Amino acid sequence: MRTDNLKNWKKELLNCTQCGFCKEICPIFDNVEWDSSAARGKMALCYGLYSGDIEPDESVLERIYQCTTCADCTRRCPSSTGVVEVIEAARRDIVASGLVGSTHQKIADSIATLGNPFGEEKSRKELFGEVPHPAKIAYFTGCSAAYRNKETSTAGISILKKLGVDYTLLDEVCCGSVLGRIGFSDDVIRKQAEANIKAIEDTGAEIVLFSCAGCLRMFRKEYPRFKDMSFRAMHFVEWLNEQEFDLKPYNRKVTYHDPCHIGRHLGIYDAPRDVINMIPEIEFVEMKDNRESARCCGGGGGVRSMFPEISRQIAEKRVGQAEIADVLLTTCPFCVNNLKLGVSETSTLEVRDLLELIDELLE
Amino acid sequence: MDKQIIERLRDIVGEGHISTSTAELYAYSTDAGIHRSMPDAVIRPKTTAEIEKIVKLANECLFPIVPRGAGTALCGHSVPVAGGLVIDLQRMNKVKELHIEDLYVVVEPGVIHKDLNAELKNYGFFIPGPSSGNVANIGGMVATNASGGNAVKYGATRDYVLGMEVVFPNGEVARLGSRTLKNSAGYQLEKLMCGMEGTLGIITEINLRIVPLPETTAVAVAVFDTLEKAGQCVSNIIAKPLIPSGLELMSRVCIQAVNKAVCMGLPDEEAILLIEVDGSTNDVKDQIETVMEVCKSSGALSVDFTDDPERKEELWKGRKAMIPALSKYDDDLVTVMLADDMAVPMSKVPEAVKAFQEISDKYDIIIASYGHSGDGNLHTKVLMDPTKKSHWDQAETAVEEIYEKVMDLGGTITGEHGVGMTKAPFFLKERQCSLNAMKTIKMALDPNNIMNPNKIMDWEGNFISHLRYHLEEE
């Protein structure tokens, strides 16, 4: 197997002392229970691939792809080892060696031909009926909120209209997050980045709003590697936190799930909580694990497409923590979808994107 | 191990609880130490009856068996150096009985230390343990006689073991010890099992003594311009008499590493002591006053204390930041688990730390020293590139000198981690007078030598063996 990418992470491969502290929090290990499934087990397997100790057989590939890239392991690691970076490097080597799984190849093919991972044939323009135009603020809806959770993008658009903002939608394509997470090369992701940056710069937008944690992470952490950007990428809740508006009272108990990709990956913790606390009469409670130590929803890193049952079990545990509230709010359509799968039939817990609630309460 | 044996093992534990996959064999070929050796299979039993059958099969077919808890041991204890079957005990994770009024609990070996303490906290009790307690299993803690920073006051795991159920190497299930706090009934075999590192049997149930949680704690930080003064201060505190619940020493390399990596702004002096006391509010107030007074009279440049929870956390921050700081100390070096938990008589701590630094300078290798100086337990972290043979050669000589010095000072090569593979060559020197007795016990209980073979007193050769790192061209 090729190891071009893993070779760049030699220091991190050696930095992992195999102490096992990550076993306490790794959401995959929590469900799979075999030691190879914990972050340190996967680090060991990556070292095995790097050193040539082992071959990438089915059992090894399965474990390398059983990582949601939540990065809770790095927070817990006494040596702050970059586990996600190593796992993604291993996945890039796996894909480069022609060992990509059929589910993931299908996703990549759909992005290459249709611009979204779902095989949806309608473009954004056709979907929303809005033509991109010059404006100071652009809204990058992302694929999930466009094709799967349209209520979230509808809420985002409605908020902008209610606040009288001069906004534009974009002729966007998939941000490439899913490609990066499952191991496709920078060359593939660069194409997505260049297309999206061009689409934004064509509108002259100064601020681009995101409702998807994965998309925002791409713009903030990965796109700068490919191209300079002349605009500011903000999560919708960060922007809302800087606006003035009145909201109707909401007399229910809510809690908030930090999506890993804007939480641990980007450090956005206060803005969503500040926005929630703008709502009159709302009762906000924190789950046991919150902010930096928030548990993963189980949906990321390609796990949901390849291992749906593990993904659902992780969601079930996170939802279990949220049962202290009536409503579980979050700020990522991917998390919304996965968390909904974790709600039991007997539960009355409602899972919603914060944008939808804000739109509902906006005067 | 042939297919027939694997099938017989599968019949014992059921489908899904035995694996011969590359992923599992490789993941279970190492622990938190420096060694690697591949097992033939990994099994995850749920009951004592299953373990009994597995051990009997091992005796019949003569394959090695290596019990394993969370796999957090640091010296290759659970590395299957002779191949065979790794027995992962993490599924046996029930707290079976709580007898708060009788001051003991009964647990399975796979119970995580943190989980047990979370349950005991509801009743105002706890069991002390190692710093890996958030993941370490009770069975592993017993088998290695693990302990941590509060051992100076609370002792090691052995001090909490009242009794246990064990499957001996011949498959016999035996009950050792008792459920009572006192017991003078013959040989204390339950204590013999503490520190046996899986070589004398598989622990399947443990009766543990519990102790009340202290009402409150306070932490003092004292800064010294020489290690000797810091060491003398430790002795002065203990001799007062005052037994702190924690007494940590940080030497200059550690202080500089922390400052460099996380900008802690700790005083750039030779030594810092963190001293924790616990008890009732009044008791803690009295103890901390005594600590402050002793630190000043021992020549501390400065001394400060707090009982504020946030401030206490802040004060411990530097200590906690040390390990990550050390791993980021140099772009080309990482921390490697070598010579990491020696213990010397408390009064010898300064001499030991000074000697470690001299050895570090002599071999041009970075060795950071810190530790639970209150009980004479010292940690050193060797920073090296484990893919370079020259680094291993340097480390080998340095480690050998460190151990020689420790033994000269009347100390032991391991205070809390155990022997396993990494420390075995030096253990053979330290305990040469009792090796025959140990080997006789091992032979009597395990005549077929199936239980975690070739470890501790049966080790042969150098510790730089079965490395989990690949050496690369320099």
Side-chain angles (χ1 to χ4, degrees), chain B residues 123-140:
Chain B
Y123 303 91
F125 285 83
F126 81 113
I127 290 172
S131 57
S132 58
N134 280 7
V135 280
N137 291 183
I138 299 291

Side-chain angles (χ1 to χ4, degrees), chain A residues 10-24 29 32-37 40-41 44-45 47-55 57 59-60 63 76-82, chain B residues 16-19 21-24 26-28 30-32 36 42 44 68 70-72 90-91 114 131-132 134-135 323-324 327-328 330-335 337 385-387 468-470 472:
Chain A
K10 179 185 164 186
K11 162 87 179 178
E12 293 306 289
L13 285 165
L14 297 174
N15 201 40
C16 173
T17 63
Q18 293 283 307
C19 72
F21 282 24
C22 51
K23 289 173 73 176
E24 184 189 1
F29 175 71
V32 176
E33 295 184 353
W34 287 89
D35 268 14
S36 63
S37 68
R40 85 156 169 189
L45 296 179
Y47 183 78
L49 293 172
Y50 158 81
S51 63
D53 269 352
I54 53 171
E55 291 298 321
D57 69 8
S59 72
V60 175
R63 290 294 187 252
R76 186 67 190 87
C77 175
S79 304
S80 311
T81 303
Chain B
H17 301 303
I18 181 165
S19 177
S21 78
T22 307
E24 278 351 301
Y26 198 70
Y28 285 83
T30 187
D31 55 15
R36 181 185 311 287
V42 183
R44 304 185 72 231
R68 171 181 166 120
T72 52
Q90 292 176 103
R91 285 178 71 217
K114 179 190 78 168
S131 57
S132 58
N134 280 7
V135 280
I323 298 171
S327 66
K328 303 290 181 197
D330 187 296
D331 287 345
D332 299 318
L333 307 177
V334 295
T335 56
M337 292 300 163
D385 180 344
T387 64
R468 69 175 165 91
Y469 307 97
H470 277 246
E472 295 172 3

